[in-house]
Amino acid sequence: MALTFDPFSQLDRFAASVLDSVRAPRSMPVDLYRDGDRYILHADLPGADPGSIDVDLDGAQLTIRAQRTADSQEGVRWLARERGAGTFLRQFTLGEGVDLDSISASYESGVLSVIIPVSERAKPRKITVESADQRRAIDA
């Protein structure tokens, strides 16, 4: 069995460790779907302190921010450290037709759920079609 040395794997690892040390906000994976008269957004925030989770609405801009602190155990030698720590951030621009005053959020088992109701104006509705005979009967 021949072992080969790949200098690029070490370079990738070094670059990742350097870039990882930058305190840029991390993104969070989300699912977003419509269920009847509401949109539901689920954001994965495993290990985030519930007290650090902020859901803000500025105009039509919905911002989700959370903080996860790194384990800081003294005297240990890390062999792998892939779980991200720091600030997690996601922003969404909400379109027309949502009820901005009724948005709600909850956090359970590492998942943030944001419920965004559809406004009454944007809900499907039936339009009555009048015939000429009906209008004549009303006018008479």
Side-chain angles (χ1 to χ4, degrees), residues 11-138:
L11 182 62
D12 285 343
R13 186 174 294 158
F14 173 73
S17 69
V18 169
L19 295 175
D20 194 40
S21 66
V22 176
R23 295 287 180 184
R26 301 179 186 283
S27 68
M28 65 191 76
V30 299
D31 290 336
L32 177 62
Y33 57 94
R34 183 168 177 168
D35 180 20
D37 291 339
R38 61 190 184 159
Y39 293 96
I40 300 174
L41 183 145
H42 294 295
D44 284 349
L45 292 170
D49 176 23
S52 76
I53 299 173
D54 274 333
V55 179
D56 297 315
L57 187 63
D58 184 6
Q61 185 82 16
L62 179 74
T63 301
I64 301 171
R65 182 178 287 119
Q67 184 75 28
R68 182 168 59 204
T69 55
D71 294 332
S72 57
Q73 299 173 351
E74 291 188 32
V76 298
R77 182 172 167 227
W78 291 98
L79 302 176
R81 194 165 195 178
E82 297 177 352
R83 295 175 48 227
T87 302
F88 292 78
L89 175 71
R90 245 351 242 278
Q91 291 184 314
F92 302 90
T93 301
L94 303 178
E96 296 287 322
V98 297
D99 186 356
L100 298 176
D101 295 327
S102 299
I103 295 174
S104 63
S106 62
Y107 180 67
E108 183 179 343
S109 301
V111 177
L112 175 70
S113 296
V114 180
I115 308 299
I116 307 165
V118 174
S119 70
E120 288 298 321
R121 247 186 29 216
K123 290 180 183 176
R125 61 190 175 277
K126 185 78 171 161
I127 307 293
T128 304
V129 178
E130 294 181 11
S131 70
D133 293 337
Q134 288 173 331
R135 273 189 267 150
R136 278 189 226 126
I138 293 172

